[in-house]
Amino acid sequence: MMELHVCDRTGSLLKAFALGDNSEVLVGRDESCDIRIDSQAVSREHCSIEQDGETLIIRDLGSTAGTYYKGDKVERLAVEDGMEIEVGPAVLKFYDVEL
C-alpha cells in the first residue's frame, strides 16, 4: 500500500494519508478536496491521484501553477516509492509501506 506525506518545502510533515482505499483522491485548495492545501498557488482542484489497476497515477487537472516532478511540469505520471511531487508550496512524498 502507498502512503502519502504532505510536507512543506523544508520537509516538515504536515499530514499523512493512506492511499488505496479510494479509486481517486482529489488534491486542491477547495474544501471538497480529499487532500486540501490552503494556498492561492494551488488550484481549487489541482491534481488527482488515481488507481489504475495496481498502479497509482498522479494527474494534473489543468491547474494554473502546474504539478512538478524533479522540476519538470507533468500532466500524468505513474507514482513510485520515494517520489516527490510539488504542488504549490507543498511537497507530496509517496512511500510504499507494508502492512
Side-chain angles (χ1 to χ4, degrees):
M1 179 173 67
M2 197 68 77
E3 187 171 278
L4 169 63
H5 292 183
V6 179
C7 302
D8 64 18
R9 292 289 174 119
T10 67
S12 296
L13 178 65
L14 302 174
K15 199 157 186 183
F17 298 89
L19 300 175
D21 293 338
N22 300 331
S23 60
E24 181 181 52
V25 175
L26 193 59
V27 180
R29 76 168 193 271
D30 194 83
E31 289 185 20
S32 67
C33 290
D34 302 301
I35 298 173
R36 188 165 182 264
I37 302 170
D38 190 17
S39 169
Q40 289 298 315
V42 176
S43 293
R44 285 183 190 94
E45 292 185 350
H46 195 98
C47 62
S48 65
I49 303 162
E50 305 166 358
Q51 193 76 37
D52 184 10
E54 294 295 313
T55 305
L56 282 178
I57 303 291
I58 188 156
R59 183 170 58 95
D60 186 84
L61 298 174
S63 66
T64 302
T67 301
Y68 291 84
Y69 175 63
K70 293 186 176 180
D72 294 326
K73 192 172 184 177
V74 296
E75 298 297 320
R76 187 177 194 276
L77 189 65
V79 173
E80 297 176 4
D81 182 42
M83 183 176 275
E84 296 185 6
I85 302 290
E86 297 175 18
V87 175
V91 179
L92 308 181
K93 297 182 179 184
F94 294 88
Y95 299 100
D96 196 2
V97 294
E98 293 188 29
L99 298 175

